[in-house]
C-alpha cells in the first residue's frame, strides 16, 4: 500500500503558549510508533507534558534536538504513514467489522 | 409498501463498489449538477472535503460559491440556511457532528421547522441538514448522539437515517429535492461500509420502510447503524432455527406505520432496536404503533433494546452502551417465550 509522509507540528499545549522545549524524545528515526503511544516529552512555561503520537507509522525525521525550543506550529516529527483509504478522518476510528460476531445467547425456536 | 433489497429486476445502472461516504458524495454531485440553486456548506466541507470525506472534491468541481466553508458556529450555519432558503436557494448545510447540533436547535426548531407554517406556505424551507449521527466510532464526548426522537417530535421536520450506501444515495436525492426541511442522519459507523451499489433514482415515496431480510418468527425494527447489527443478529438466530425479519424504517418522520404493521402482523412479534436512551425514545413510538395496528395479531409485547438512560458515553464505553448482539437475542427470546 502507498505510503505518505505526514508532518506533525507542535500544537498549542496550553492557552496561548508560543513554544515548548523538547525534554526527551521517546521515539527514534526509523522506529515504528503506534497512535497514542508516547512520542516526546516537552516542557512549556506551564508544565512538562508527554505528547502522544497522532499517527501510527514510521518515524522519518525528528525536527528538533533535545533541549531545543520549538515554536508552536513548527514541525516536530515527520511520519511515514500507510496510505489508508479507510482512514477515519479526524475524529474517531473505523469500526472493525466482524465476519462472525461473538454471541453467548442461544435461541429456542417457537413451537407455533 | 416495503421493498426487498434484492430488487435486481429494477436495476438501472451497473453495480459499482462504493462506501456510504462515496455514495452520499455521488448524490451531492448529482444534485449540485442538476440544480444551480443547491448550495453545500458547513464546517470544513469545502477545502478539506469534510472530516468524513463526504464532500470530497465538490468545491473543486462546483466552485467556492456553491460549496463553501463556514465559521465554527452551528446556529449561524442553520440561520444562514433559513435566509438562503427564503431567497430561493436549496441549502444542504452540514453540522459536523450530531453533538454540535444543540447550539443550532433554536434555528432548527423555531425557524427551519416552522417557517412554512408561519408564512402559510409563502416561505417553504427546502433545506437538507446533513448530520453525521449516532455512535460506533469511539469518538470523544459530543461526537456521538442519537437525536432522532428530538427531531421526529418537532412538527415540520422530516427525518431520515439511511443504513447502507445504495439507500444513502437514493434517500439523499429524495431529501434534497423535497421542498420540506429534512434532517438526514448519516450513521457514522457505516460511513466505511463498502459494497456493490446500484445508483438508483428514488422509487419509493418519502416515508417508506424496507424489508432488508424477510423472516417469519419476529420482526427486528431498526434504522441507521442498528440495521446492520440486526442483520447480524438475524444471521445468528438462523443458526438456531429462528427466522427473523429485519425492517429498516429509514424514514423516522413520517414513519411507515403501514409497512411496520404489515411486517409485524405476519411475524406476530417485534423487537425495536435503537442507540438512543430508552425513555421517550423512538422505540416507544414504534411500540405504540405496533400495539395500535397489530394488537390482535401479537403473540408478545413489543420489546425495546436501546441505549441506557445515561448521557451518550465517550469512546471506550460505547461497546457497553450500544445494543449488543446478546441483548437483542435475549429480547428476541423473551418474545418467543412469552
Amino acid at each position: 500500500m502507498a505510503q505518505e509522509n505526514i508532518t506533525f507540528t507542535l500544537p498549542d499545549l496550553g492557552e496561548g503558549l508560543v513554544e515548548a522545549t523538547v525534554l526527551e524524545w521517546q521515539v527514534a528515526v526509523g522506529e515504528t510508533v503506534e497512535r497514542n503511544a508516547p512520542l516526546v516529552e516537552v516542557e512549556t512555561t506551564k508544565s512538562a507534558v508527554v505528547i502522544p503520537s497522532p499517527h501510527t507509522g514510521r518515524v522519518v525525521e525528528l525536527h528538533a534536538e533535545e533541549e531545543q525550543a520549538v515554536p508552536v506550529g513548527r514541525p516536530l516529527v515527520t511520519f511515514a504513514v500507510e496510505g489508508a483509504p479507510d482512514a477515519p478522518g479526524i475524529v474517531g476510528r473505523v469500526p472493525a467489522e466482524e465476519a462472525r460476531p461473538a454471541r453467548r445467547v442461544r435461541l429456542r425456536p417457537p413451537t407455533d | 409498501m416495503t421493498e426487498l433489497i434484492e430488487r435486481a429486476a429494477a436495476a438501472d445502472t451497473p453495480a459499482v463498489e462504493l462506501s456510504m461516504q462515496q455514495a452520499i458524495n455521488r448524490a451531492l454531485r448529482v444534485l449540485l449538477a442538476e440544480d444551480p440553486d443547491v448550495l453545500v456548506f458547513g464546517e470544513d466541507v469545502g477545502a478539506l472535503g469534510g472530516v468524513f470525506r463526504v464532500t470530497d472534491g465538490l468545491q473543486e468541481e462546483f466552485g467556492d460559491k456553491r460549496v463553501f466553508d463556514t465559521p465554527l458556529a452551528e446556529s449561524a450555519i442553520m440561520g444562514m440556511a433559513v435566509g438562503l432558503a427564503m431567497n430561493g436557494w436549496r441549502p444542504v448545510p452540514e453540522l459536523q457532528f450530531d453533538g454540535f447540533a444543540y447550539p443550532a436547535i433554536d434555528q432548527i426548531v423555531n425557524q427551519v421547522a416552522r417557517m412554512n407554517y408561519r408564512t402559510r406556505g409563502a416561505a417553504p424551507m427546502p433545506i437538507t441538514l446533513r448530520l453525521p449521527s449516532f455512535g460506533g466510532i469511539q469518538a470523544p464526548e459530543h461526537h456521538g448522539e442519537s437525536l432522532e426522537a428530538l427531531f421526529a417530535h418537532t412538527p415540520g421536520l422530516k427525518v431520515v437515517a439511511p443504513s447502507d450506501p445504495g439507500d444513502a444515495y437514493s434517500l439523499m436525492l429524495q431529501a434534497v429535492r423535497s421542498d420540506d426541511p429534512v434532517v438526514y442522519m448519516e450513521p457514522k459507523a457505516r460511513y466505511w461500509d463498502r459494497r456493490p451499489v446500484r445508483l438508483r433514482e428514488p422509487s419509493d415515496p418519502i416515508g417508506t420502510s424496507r424489508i432488508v431480510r424477510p423472516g417469519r418468527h419476529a420482526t427486528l425494527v431498526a434504522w441507521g447503524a442498528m440495521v446492520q447489527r440486526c442483520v447480524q443478529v438475524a444471521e445468528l438466530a438462523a443458526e438456531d432455527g429462528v427466522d427473523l425479519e429485519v425492517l429498516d424504517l429509514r424514514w423516522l418522520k413520517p414513519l411507515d406505520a403501514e409497512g411496520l404493521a404489515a411486517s409485524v402482523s405476519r411475524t406476530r412479534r417485534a423487537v425495536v432496536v435503537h442507540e438512543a436512551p430508552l425513555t421517550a425514545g423512538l422505540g416507544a413510538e414504534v411500540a405504540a404503533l405496533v400495539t395500535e395496528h397489530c394488537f390482535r395479531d401479537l403473540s408478545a409485547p413489543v420489546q425495546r433494546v436501546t441505549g441506557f438512560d445515561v448521557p451518550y458515553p465517550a469512546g471506550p464505553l460505547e461497546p457497553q452502551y450500544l445494543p449488543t448482539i446478546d441483548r437483542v437475542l435475549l429480547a428476541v427470546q423473551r418474545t418467543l417465550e412469552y
Side-chain angles (χ1 to χ4, degrees), chain B residues 313-333:
Chain B
L317 283 173
E318 262 191 351
Q320 280 70 45
Y321 172 84
L322 295 174
T324 60
I325 281 172
D326 282 329
R327 282 171 62 203
V328 182
L329 284 168
L330 278 171
V332 170
Q333 187 62 50

Side-chain angles (χ1 to χ4, degrees), chain B residues 88-306:
Chain B
W89 300 91
R90 193 168 284 271
V92 186
E94 175 188 296
L95 298 179
Q96 199 166 69
F97 286 89
D98 39 9
F100 306 168
Y102 292 114
I105 292 292
D106 174 48
Q107 289 296 331
I108 297 169
V109 174
N110 277 332
Q111 309 301 340
V112 174
R114 293 184 187 192
M115 194 63 77
N116 194 39
Y117 172 85
R118 182 185 294 140
T119 63
R120 300 184 196 180
M125 291 280 113
I127 296 170
T128 297
L129 165 56
R130 286 189 42 246
L131 193 63
S133 289
F134 314 118
I137 65 164
Q138 308 222 350
E141 199 195 355
H142 309 307
H143 293 72
E145 295 284 321
S146 197
L147 297 174
E148 66 274 25
L150 179 63
F151 292 127
H153 193 61
T154 302
L157 297 178
K158 293 188 162 94
V159 184
V160 66
S163 67
D164 71 36
D167 239 23
Y169 176 85
S170 306
L171 292 170
M172 179 57 81
L173 296 182
Q174 204 164 21
V176 175
R177 289 169 185 163
S178 165
D179 286 340
D180 292 322
V182 177
V183 180
Y184 184 98
M185 304 178 77
E186 302 175 4
K188 290 169 218 131
R190 305 306 300 163
Y191 268 144
W192 301 275
D193 171 25
R194 190 179 292 274
R195 57 178 78 188
V197 177
R198 288 187 197 284
L199 299 175
R200 290 198 182 99
E201 282 291 307
S203 52
D204 306 315
I206 283 176
T208 314
S209 63
R210 65 169 182 156
I211 294 169
V212 174
R213 184 187 198 281
R216 62 197 166 94
H217 289 140
T219 301
L220 302 178
V221 183
W223 51 91
M226 286 299 107
V227 172
Q228 178 58 22
R229 177 134 307 173
C230 288
V231 168
Q232 289 179 322
V233 167
E235 283 165 3
L236 293 169
E239 296 172 5
D240 303 338
V242 173
D243 188 14
L244 297 177
E245 181 147 305
V246 179
L247 183 75
D248 177 2
L249 280 182
R250 309 196 285 192
W251 291 93
L252 307 176
K253 179 87 164 281
L255 201 149
D256 185 6
E258 195 184 316
L260 178 66
S263 172
V264 180
S265 293
R266 271 188 290 104
T267 63
R268 302 193 294 131
R269 300 173 180 92
V271 177
V272 55
V273 182
H274 63 63
E275 301 184 25
L278 174 76
T279 303
L282 213 60
E285 187 67 28
V286 169
L289 286 169
V290 168
T291 308
E292 199 175 315
H293 291 275
C294 313
F295 189 70
R296 287 169 189 278
D297 298 320
L298 284 177
S299 293
V302 179
Q303 294 287 319
R304 290 178 286 169
V305 184
T306 69

Side-chain angles (χ1 to χ4, degrees), chain A residues 93 100 103-104 108 112, chain B residues 239-240 268 326 337:
Chain A
R93 62 177 75 161
R100 203 179 176 293
R103 53 131 37 148
R104 281 181 295 178
R108 287 177 297 281
D112 56 352
Chain B
E239 296 172 5
D240 303 338
R268 302 193 294 131
D326 282 329
E337 284 177 352

Side-chain angles (χ1 to χ4, degrees), chain A residues 59-82:
Chain A
V59 177
V60 176
E61 188 179 353
L62 304 178
H63 295 275
E65 306 281 328
E66 291 180 356
E67 303 302 321
Q68 187 183 332
V70 180
V72 168
R74 296 302 292 275
L76 202 54
V77 185
T78 299
F79 300 91
V81 176
E82 294 290 333

